[in-house]
Amino acid sequence: MKLLNKYILVFLLTTLLIFLLGGFVFYNQLQNIISEEANEELYLKKEQFLKSIEKKETLSSVNSENANFSIEPITEKITETIVDTSIYVEEADEFIPYRKLIFNATNNNQFYKVSISKSLFESDDLIETIIQSLLIIAAFLIVIIIGVNYIFAKTIWKPFFKTINKINTFDINGLNSFEKENSSVKEFQELNKAIENMTKRILTDYENIKMFSENASHEMQTPISVIRTSIENMLQSENITEKEISQLESIENAVKKLSSLNKSLLLLTKIENNQFKETKNINISDLSKNLIEQYAAIYESKKISVNTTNSDLVLNINPHLAEILISNIISNAFKHTNVRGEIKIEIIDNQFKIANSGAPLKISENEIFQRFKKNEETSDSIGLGLSIVNSIIDLYNYKINYSYTSAMHTITVDF
Amino acid sequence: MKILLIEDEPELRKSIKQFLYNEGYTVESAEDFPKASEKVFEYDYDCVLVDITIPKGNGLKIIDQLKERKSKAGIIIISAKNSLDDKINGLEIGADDYLPKPFHLSELNARIKAIIRRKSFDGNKLIVVNEISINSENRSVSVNSKDVVLTGKEYDLLLFFISNKNRIVSKNAIAEHLVGDHADQIDSHDFIYTHLKNLRKKLLEKGCADYIQTVYGIGYKFNNEITK
């Protein structure tokens, strides 16, 4: 439930309760006051009457139509009482409430029952009117407050929703930092400040992570450089033996793998950290053609025949990643093609398909994209080529598929 | 030829200096920004090798300083970061080449020679080794004044050998020189062997001595002290 509605519900119930209670108390108080006033008046009238008959010799019975006053002789004294009655008044065509004070009076040793009445008509009406007004005010108040709240709520909550929008569109790789919304509401100010601080921390941490992956590479490559250059220098020494050369070769090959591994892991980290944000329109067909030429030249000795059918395919992708993606797939194909084998490349619509002839894989189909999985355990490759391809595929939500049919390894990429 | 090496890692600095001495260059070095700045200010060099991640400053600023002094030195950035941004930036502010670490010394050698050739104003772009004559401007080769037609890769290979003559050059170094980044993805070095075979054949056909020697296991050497 919306906060506003919750607020209003609570407020409504409380207001209603207060009004009810208050109304009840008010009504009671009113009744009491009016009742007391009526009583006072009756007693006053009683005193006045008693005073007035002190001088009189006889009292005549009165039973006035007026109903306000009646007097009759009685034989025994009665207890004084106050009674509330309703009397039908013809002129008003309704029952009118009356209060009657019945008391004793004596005159010349004769007992009289005297009753004085007072109409409560106006008092009743008064109370009714007051209660009605109260209810109307209450209803009015409630409606107005709900209305104002709803109207006001939009304005009041605007900065809050602006903040939410900013949070939703916050991009950790974005160029602008989180800009605080201004608000006169203290709670929103606090909220915005807290979010600003949090995003600052997040951005700093992220920058540190990015820096770390670059610095890690720096740290690793320098000692590798030292090893490599030292080996090269050693190689030039005058009296070097075949055995020593052989050992240097082993070291060099190991260093080459280390360096390659480092570069690849760094690349994977950067891809997964989404550090390749810039995209351009890249013509994949041109890129493929270029790379195929290069690899064909490199693997010339394998005498592989290459067939390509290209239609133009342009993707919005990071140029660096595009080259790595296509390059890894193509080099992988060339690597695993048998001598005098063939490679077929088709680029149609949004699909890139490459098929190469070759012996069946020794690892299972869904393993080839895993890190460090190599077809030949003894191979020189470090086995990260296709998992890098996989990361790039994941990044852009492309799809990649591998199958082996009719002695052809086929990799299909759907962009 | 005077070279300034700006590199903070002491072992690497030693290694490179050693190599450059052996190649016949005069070498000076600086291990941080202030010292590098000083050297650049006081002396002229034919080539400056800059590691941009040096302490107490940024190597790129050294390049700015060199340009400000209108230095004619060739500038090669050597960097462990291998950041594309750094590369573009560096080349834009005036560096001549960008070589990421780890590199082969033979590769560094080839690049230094290429830059010095480019920068030399004596108009002579001819490289002559005994009977072989290479015109680096139009990439043509002749043996005993007879033209030799080489493919791009064969030419690169020959030039690489000659730049590193009398040094043992490893197969890895050759592979990286010929195919750059793709070297990581290539399994065997059969392709080097093929190009080499073809190169040798073409040179020998024109009456060239067989300078390229195989060094068991690890690589090759262009030995120009062979007599026919």
Side-chain angles (χ1 to χ4, degrees):
Chain A
M1 177 192 277
K2 276 180 152 186
L3 187 63
L4 176 68
N5 294 346
K6 265 211 163 106
Y7 243 119
I8 285 183
L9 202 64
V10 169
F11 176 77
L12 230 59
L13 289 173
T14 318
T15 310
L16 237 54
L17 209 66
I18 289 177
F19 261 100
L20 239 61
L21 234 62
F24 189 64
V25 167
F26 186 54
Y27 178 76
N28 273 349
Q29 291 297 84
L30 219 55
Q31 286 281 45
N32 288 347
I33 287 173
I34 288 180
S35 183
E36 277 193 30
E37 282 236 6
N39 289 356
E40 267 183 42
E41 205 180 307
L42 286 176
Y43 278 118
L44 190 63
K45 284 224 163 92
K46 166 184 163 197
E47 295 307 314
Q48 284 174 347
F49 175 77
L50 288 178
K51 193 104 190 247
S52 74
I53 63 164
E54 264 171 21
K55 309 244 174 65
K56 278 232 173 117
E57 287 165 5
T58 52
L59 292 174
S60 43
S61 298
V62 177
N63 208 353
S64 68
E65 290 286 320
N66 193 328
N68 275 354
F69 175 78
S70 75
I71 181 169
E72 65 179 273
I74 47 173
T75 44
E76 273 179 9
K77 266 200 174 173
I78 47 158
T79 30
E80 199 175 274
T81 46
I82 291 191
V83 161
D84 279 335
T85 56
S86 289
I87 298 175
Y88 180 72
V89 172
E90 212 177 302
E91 291 87 358
D93 191 25
E94 60 180 305
F95 280 89
I96 293 183
Y98 271 87
R99 179 163 290 185
K100 207 189 272 187
L101 172 64
I102 305 176
F103 60 95
N104 294 304
T106 3
N107 185 289
N108 281 341
N109 297 316
Q110 176 63 35
F111 291 131
Y112 292 94
K113 173 174 147 189
V114 187
S115 64
I116 306 179
S117 300
K118 178 179 157 49
S119 148
L120 296 177
F121 182 64
E122 285 114 12
S123 323
D124 241 24
D125 259 1
L126 183 65
I127 292 179
E128 243 182 73
T129 314
I130 289 179
I131 298 291
Q132 264 175 24
S133 308
L134 219 61
L135 284 173
I136 290 177
I137 291 175
F140 203 53
L141 192 67
I142 287 171
V143 164
I144 292 280
I145 288 200
I146 291 180
V148 167
N149 258 319
Y150 270 114
I151 295 171
F152 203 40
K154 273 216 152 81
T155 329
I156 277 237
W157 284 104
K158 208 151 150 221
F160 178 77
F161 286 115
K162 263 196 179 168
T163 301
I164 289 191
N165 192 34
K166 283 214 166 144
I167 296 177
N168 279 339
T169 56
F170 178 68
D171 179 10
I172 205 169
N173 270 316
L175 295 166
N176 23 297
S177 56
F178 181 86
E179 273 158 40
K180 228 176 16 187
E181 267 299 312
N182 283 327
S183 170
S184 50
V185 176
K186 182 155 171 282
E187 286 84 355
F188 291 161
Q189 280 174 1
E190 281 183 32
L191 175 69
N192 287 338
K193 189 122 215 335
I195 293 179
E196 192 187 42
N197 288 341
M198 181 182 79
T199 52
K200 277 208 182 108
R201 279 200 310 273
I202 292 176
L203 281 172
T204 309
D205 284 348
Y206 184 65
E207 282 306 312
N208 287 340
I209 291 177
K210 286 206 321 193
M211 285 268 297
F212 173 75
S213 41
E214 292 205 359
N215 288 339
S217 171
H218 177 101
E219 295 306 315
M220 278 217 36
Q221 299 289 33
T222 303
I224 291 176
S225 290
V226 173
I227 299 175
R228 196 174 253 189
T229 52
S230 303
I231 291 174
E232 272 187 281
N233 281 337
M234 278 179 71
L235 209 51
Q236 313 304 329
S237 55
E238 296 265 316
N239 300 314
I240 194 162
T241 66
E242 240 174 55
K243 199 156 141 209
E244 282 159 5
I245 291 186
S246 176
Q247 284 177 330
L248 286 178
E249 193 198 1
S250 307
I251 301 175
E252 223 213 15
N253 286 339
V255 162
K256 179 184 172 200
K257 275 200 192 160
L258 257 180
S259 173
S260 193
L261 185 63
N262 184 38
K263 282 196 203 138
S264 298
L265 284 176
L266 176 65
L267 184 61
L268 268 171
T269 309
K270 279 177 146 173
I271 294 174
E272 280 160 16
N273 276 351
N274 203 7
Q275 283 176 244
F276 290 101
K277 279 237 120 181
E278 189 204 336
T279 62
K280 284 209 178 94
N281 283 331
I282 306 285
N283 187 322
I284 300 292
S285 318
D286 286 346
L287 181 63
S288 305
K289 203 157 100 122
N290 211 340
L291 288 165
I292 291 168
E293 269 173 33
Q294 290 183 35
Y295 282 107
I298 292 170
Y299 286 95
E300 216 180 80
S301 56
K302 269 190 168 181
K303 302 220 190 315
I304 300 170
S305 67
V306 181
N307 262 314
T308 56
T309 40
N310 280 359
S311 56
D312 261 346
L313 170 58
V314 177
L315 289 179
N316 194 256
I317 186 177
N318 177 283
H320 194 46
L321 294 184
E323 172 147 4
I324 294 172
L325 175 66
I326 303 294
S327 179
N328 281 14
I329 295 178
I330 293 178
S331 78
N332 200 58
F334 272 94
K335 213 189 298 194
H336 293 107
T337 308
N338 52 320
V339 174
R340 297 219 166 73
E342 68 165 318
I343 291 181
K344 274 209 294 252
I345 299 180
E346 282 170 42
I347 302 180
I348 297 173
D349 289 337
N350 271 17
Q351 193 185 78
F352 176 98
K353 196 179 335 177
I354 180 166
N356 66 287
S357 60
L361 289 183
K362 298 203 171 103
I363 52 179
S364 78
E365 285 184 11
N366 43 347
E367 279 187 305
I368 57 171
F369 294 109
Q370 283 178 15
R371 297 190 188 188
F372 304 117
K373 282 286 178 215
K374 302 186 280 195
N375 196 25
E376 294 284 348
E377 275 312 306
T378 52
S379 153
D380 264 356
S381 95
I382 48 175
L384 284 179
L386 285 181
S387 42
I388 290 176
V389 164
N390 213 15
S391 298
I392 301 176
I393 300 282
D394 280 342
L395 183 65
Y396 289 102
N397 282 324
Y398 300 148
K399 290 202 186 12
I400 189 165
N401 182 262
Y402 165 81
S403 63
Y404 184 69
T405 42
S406 329
M408 297 283 275
H409 301 275
T410 309
I411 286 190
T412 314
V413 181
D414 288 292
F415 295 107
Chain B
M1 293 278 128
K2 220 157 117 185
I3 296 189
L4 173 63
L5 169 65
I6 306 172
E7 165 64 54
D8 62 319
E9 158 65 45
E11 292 299 328
L12 191 55
R13 198 169 59 240
K14 215 163 65 171
S15 248
I16 299 177
K17 263 177 117 168
Q18 177 71 43
F19 157 75
L20 292 172
Y21 275 139
N22 290 345
E23 283 296 299
Y25 298 106
T26 313
V27 191
E28 282 177 29
S29 64
E31 68 263 23
D32 59 31
F33 183 85
K35 294 212 176 64
S37 237
E38 217 181 278
K39 293 252 179 214
V40 159
F41 185 71
E42 286 178 2
Y43 306 107
D44 279 325
Y45 298 95
D46 294 294
C47 190
V48 177
L49 310 172
V50 192
D51 180 351
I52 44 186
T53 51
I54 40 172
K56 301 188 198 138
N58 187 331
L60 292 173
K61 287 230 163 55
I62 299 284
I63 301 177
D64 283 335
Q65 287 175 359
L66 283 164
K67 289 298 161 192
E68 265 168 44
R69 295 193 66 233
K70 307 224 191 300
S71 160
K72 302 213 174 67
I75 303 169
I76 303 181
I77 298 177
I78 50 180
S79 172
K81 279 176 83 175
N82 196 12
S83 144
L84 203 59
D85 289 335
D86 279 346
K87 178 171 179 175
I88 295 172
N89 203 8
L91 295 175
E92 260 174 31
I93 61 176
D96 295 287
D97 206 347
Y98 184 95
L99 185 58
K101 293 182 198 170
F103 48 80
H104 291 277
L105 290 172
S106 40
E107 181 67 34
L108 180 63
N109 200 10
R111 303 229 187 163
I112 293 175
K113 294 222 162 83
I115 286 184
I116 290 182
R117 258 195 319 269
R118 276 215 303 274
K119 298 262 174 175
S120 87
F121 290 103
D122 58 12
N124 197 4
K125 304 279 189 193
L126 224 53
I127 306 162
V128 179
V129 175
N130 297 356
E131 64 266 42
I132 304 175
S133 176
I134 302 178
N135 184 327
S136 62
E137 202 161 337
N138 58 18
R139 289 168 68 92
S140 66
V141 179
S142 64
V143 169
N144 292 325
S145 309
K146 284 180 282 182
D147 281 334
V148 183
V149 177
L150 298 176
T151 66
K153 292 270 189 267
E154 285 162 6
Y155 172 84
D156 287 336
L157 190 54
L158 179 61
L159 196 55
F160 190 62
F161 273 126
I162 287 183
S163 303
N164 286 298
K165 60 182 183 289
N166 298 321
R167 282 180 62 86
I168 297 179
V169 181
S170 73
K171 282 187 282 199
N172 285 334
I174 297 175
E176 270 186 40
H177 182 81
L178 292 182
V179 281
D181 285 337
H182 302 305
D184 280 349
Q185 294 161 36
I186 308 167
D187 242 356
S188 73
H189 293 140
D190 281 347
F191 82 100
I192 300 177
Y193 177 69
T194 314
H195 288 307
L196 198 60
K197 199 173 72 165
N198 293 337
L199 175 65
R200 255 183 176 143
K201 192 165 130 200
K202 290 183 182 177
L203 290 174
L204 292 174
E205 262 172 14
K206 302 289 183 191
C208 184
D210 193 7
Y211 296 111
I212 302 174
Q213 295 173 323
T214 306
V215 177
Y216 168 74
I218 198 161
Y220 304 91
K221 178 168 161 181
F222 184 100
N223 188 346
N224 72 333
E225 275 141 33
I226 295 209
T227 44
K228 231 166 144 198

